Each structure stands twice: as C-alpha cells, then as structure tokens.
Amino acid sequence: MITIPTLLKSRLLAGGLIVAAVAAAAAPPALAQTPATPPAPVVAPGEFGICATCHEVTPGARPSLGPNLFGLGGRKAGSLADYDYSAAMKAAGVTWSAETLQAFTLDPNKVVPGNKMDYPGAEAAAAKAIVDYLLALKG
C-alpha cells in the first residue's frame, strides 16, 4: 500500500529530476567542455638576436658557440654535459632563476667573473625581455 507521503515524495523526486535535466540541457555552451587549444609559441624578443648568434634554444639542439639555453630556468650554471664551460662557470654555484639571469644578463662578468662569454651586458629593459623569454623556454 502506498501512503500519501510516499506518493508525494516520489512525485517531488521525479519533478526535481526533470527540473535538473531541463536545467542541464539549457546550460550555455561555455560550460560544456571544449578541446584545449595548444599554447601559443614562445617568440623571441628582438633583444635576443645578439644571444641567438651563439646560443640554440630548441629542445635537444646541440650547443653552438654557447650552450643550448632551452630549459635554462632552474638549471645549475655550467651543468650541461655536452658543452665545454669555463672553469669559472662550472665553479659559479649559480642556479638560473629570474633574479640570477637578470643580474647575469645585465653584467655577466660581475656575476661570474672569468666566464668565457664575450657579451658586455644589456640595458635593464632588454635584459628583462631576454630573461622572460628564456624562462618561458621549458618542456
């Protein structure tokens, strides 16, 4: 035997399910899952042009005149096995972060005296653009 409260409860549940189904069907398309768009490629700033004459920036690229800078953020200075760093760079004890890269890009010889990079340093705005670019190069 069905009691009135049981009947009322089942109708309310059924009605609630219908309301939920209608609400879900009427949801705006923005709530629906869309395929992820690939990230925009990282574009080198013009200031990086002088660096690009000696450094590669693609994953797995062999070093050219200087070491490959791909994945530089968080790397210990002088640590790539396939590049012959100066003794000063190997012994620097620097880990490349936004701060250390900024200082090095502004004045390489002040941060790592005796390094073999022939680069006098950049102005502050150019150094920031270069550092931001280098830190975006990661796999």
Side-chain angles (χ1 to χ4, degrees), residues 91-115:
V94 173
T95 297
W96 299 120
S97 65
E99 295 78 23
T100 57
L101 279 168
Q102 181 75 15
F104 186 78
T105 306
L106 288 169
D107 190 349
N109 290 314
K110 182 177 179 183
V111 175
V112 182
N115 78 79

Side-chain angles (χ1 to χ4, degrees), residues 18-40:
I18 291 170
V19 170
V22 169
L31 296 178
Q33 286 188 346
T34 56
T37 56

Side-chain angles (χ1 to χ4, degrees), residues 31-106:
L31 296 178
Q33 286 188 346
T34 56
T37 56
V42 179
V43 178
E47 296 87 350
F48 188 75
I50 192 166
C51 310
T53 61
C54 298
H55 295 280
E56 298 295 326
V57 292
T58 55
R62 302 280 306 151
S64 52
L65 192 54
N68 186 342
L69 300 179
F70 184 85
L72 184 62
R75 185 190 310 164
K76 184 172 167 50
S79 64
L80 286 182
D82 62 352
Y83 184 74
D84 184 26
Y85 293 95
S86 65
M89 189 62 76
K90 289 179 189 176
V94 173
T95 297
W96 299 120
S97 65
E99 295 78 23
T100 57
L101 279 168
Q102 181 75 15
F104 186 78
T105 306
L106 288 169

